[in-house]
């Protein structure tokens, strides 16, 4: 039980209030975008928006319950976390138009019909990623008084029509290598860390190397650390 304005309130009631408030305060731009960019009739739009509202209410409710539950276990947790998460999502949606719009959906659907277009679009994302990484490295390199590092990995690869397979998400036993063999790029400033030689590392690294290498990079002492999965020298 909690008290708001000196009146007891249950966790369920409080979570409902937070979820409804979050929906009204932060998700209106999303609903407006959906309403303006769907080809459904009035009935279809109402059904779609109602379905999205139910899903968002459920997610917000579970998040509120989780935060309040953690507050009992680990002390005072700022409830503002929920607001920050939602506000950040809306900010990126409105600023960078990251919502999947009709053009994006069309590109995915048309990709199977026009593989050259799909490959070109994918190559463009690689070029842009290369530009971002180059900019980041140049920025870090200019910070002479700081020991700095950059580690870049991808979350997955992508099938672009090879053997009539598209996108990603197949189980590991069925997925082609292009879906799970990803880049692992590392840059460090001069004299920050020395890398192990090629003879000390396998040709293809596993994801375990990320965790243990970062521990070394940040000079974190932990019983979980395993030097065999570290790309740097101690």
């Amino acid at each position: 039980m909690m008290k708001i304005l000196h009146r007891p309130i249950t966790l369920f009631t409080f979570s409902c209030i937070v979820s409804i408030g979050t929906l009204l305060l932060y998700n209106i731009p999303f609903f407006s975008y959906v309403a303006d960019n769907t080809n459904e009739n009035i009935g279809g739009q109402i059904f779609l928006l109602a379905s999205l509202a139910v899903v968002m209410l459920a997610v917000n409710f579970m998040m509120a319950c989780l935060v309040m539950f953690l507050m009992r276990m680990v002390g005072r947790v700022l409830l503002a976390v929920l607001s920050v998460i939602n506000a950040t999502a809306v900010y990126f949606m409105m600023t960078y138009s990251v919502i999947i719009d009709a053009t994006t959906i069309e590109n995915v659907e048309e990709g199977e019909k026009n593989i050259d277009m799909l490959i070109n679009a994918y190559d463009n994302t690689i070029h842009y990623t290369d530009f971002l990484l180059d900019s980041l490295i140049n920025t870090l390199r200019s910070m002479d008084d700081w020991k700095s590092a950059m580690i870049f990995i991808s979350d997955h690869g992508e099938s672009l029509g090879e053997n009539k397979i598209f996108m990603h998400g197949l189980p590991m036993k069925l997925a082609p290598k292009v879906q799970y063999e990803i880049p692992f790029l590392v840059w460090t400033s001069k004299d920050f860390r020395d890398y192990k030689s090629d003879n000390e590392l396998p040709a293809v690294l596993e994801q375990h190397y990320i965790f243990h290498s970062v521990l070394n990079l940040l000079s974190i002492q932990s019983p979980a650390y395993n030097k065999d999965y570290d790309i740097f020298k101690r």
Side-chain angles (χ1 to χ4, degrees), residues 75-118:
R76 295 183 178 274
V77 177
L78 291 176
L79 195 59
V81 170
L82 284 176
S83 299
V84 170
I85 291 174
N86 283 278
T88 302
V90 173
Y91 170 78
F92 276 96
M93 286 190 299
M94 303 305 292
T95 305
Y96 299 107
S97 301
V98 295
I99 301 177
I100 296 179
D101 57 19
T103 304
T104 306
I105 296 174
E106 180 182 3
N107 286 342
V108 175
E109 293 176 343
E110 294 297 321
E112 297 186 17
K113 303 175 184 178
N114 190 339
I115 296 180
D116 289 338
M117 181 187 71
L118 180 65

Side-chain angles (χ1 to χ4, degrees), residues 15-16 56 67 76 90-91 125 127-128 132 146 149 166 173 179 185 195 213 222 226:
S15 298
C16 286
M56 290 183 174
V67 170
R76 295 183 178 274
V90 173
Y91 170 78
T125 66
H127 284 299
Y128 186 64
L132 291 178
W146 293 78
F166 293 87
K173 292 184 178 180
Q179 289 191 17
L185 306 179
Y195 301 95
S213 299
S222 170
N226 186 338

Side-chain angles (χ1 to χ4, degrees), residues 132-146:
L132 291 178
L133 295 179
D134 178 68
S135 300
L136 176 58
I137 290 174
N138 287 332
T139 299
L140 295 174
R141 186 179 285 122
S142 66
M143 301 165 62
D144 298 331
D145 298 332
W146 293 78

Side-chain angles (χ1 to χ4, degrees), residues 6-24:
H6 306 290
R7 299 182 60 183
I9 182 172
T10 64
L11 176 61
F12 177 84
T13 303
F14 181 77
S15 298
C16 286
I17 294 174
V18 171
S19 61
I20 294 172
T22 303
L23 182 72
L24 295 177

Side-chain angles (χ1 to χ4, degrees), residues 201-222:
L201 296 172
V204 178
L205 302 178
E206 299 178 358
Q207 62 184 7
H208 309 293
Y209 283 85
I210 302 168
F211 174 78
H212 299 281
S213 299
V214 170
L215 287 181
N216 182 358
L217 199 61
L218 300 179
S219 300
I220 297 176
Q221 303 295 323
S222 170

Side-chain angles (χ1 to χ4, degrees), residues 113-230:
K113 303 175 184 178
N114 190 339
I115 296 180
D116 289 338
M117 181 187 71
L118 180 65
I119 293 176
N120 179 68
Y122 187 80
D123 288 345
N124 285 336
T125 66
I126 301 300
H127 284 299
Y128 186 64
T129 301
D130 181 70
F131 164 75
L132 291 178
L133 295 179
D134 178 68
S135 300
L136 176 58
I137 290 174
N138 287 332
T139 299
L140 295 174
R141 186 179 285 122
S142 66
M143 301 165 62
D144 298 331
D145 298 332
W146 293 78
K147 292 182 178 180
S148 54
M150 181 204 74
I151 295 180
F152 172 84
I153 57 171
S154 175
D155 52 347
H156 57 75
E158 200 79 7
S159 290
L160 301 176
E162 306 87 354
N163 299 318
K164 297 184 179 180
I165 299 176
F166 293 87
M167 301 184 71
H168 60 272
L170 289 176
M172 281 292 293
K173 292 184 178 180
L174 301 177
K177 287 185 177 181
V178 294
Q179 289 191 17
Y180 60 79
E181 286 195 352
I182 58 175
F184 184 2
L185 306 179
V186 181
W187 177 90
T188 56
S189 58
K190 186 178 180 181
D191 300 327
F192 184 17
R193 284 289 187 274
D194 293 325
Y195 301 95
K196 290 180 179 177
S197 65
D198 292 340
N199 295 331
E200 298 176 276
L201 296 172
V204 178
L205 302 178
E206 299 178 358
Q207 62 184 7
H208 309 293
Y209 283 85
I210 302 168
F211 174 78
H212 299 281
S213 299
V214 170
L215 287 181
N216 182 358
L217 199 61
L218 300 179
S219 300
I220 297 176
Q221 303 295 323
S222 170
Y225 172 75
N226 186 338
K227 64 181 179 61
D228 294 333
Y229 290 112
D230 188 353

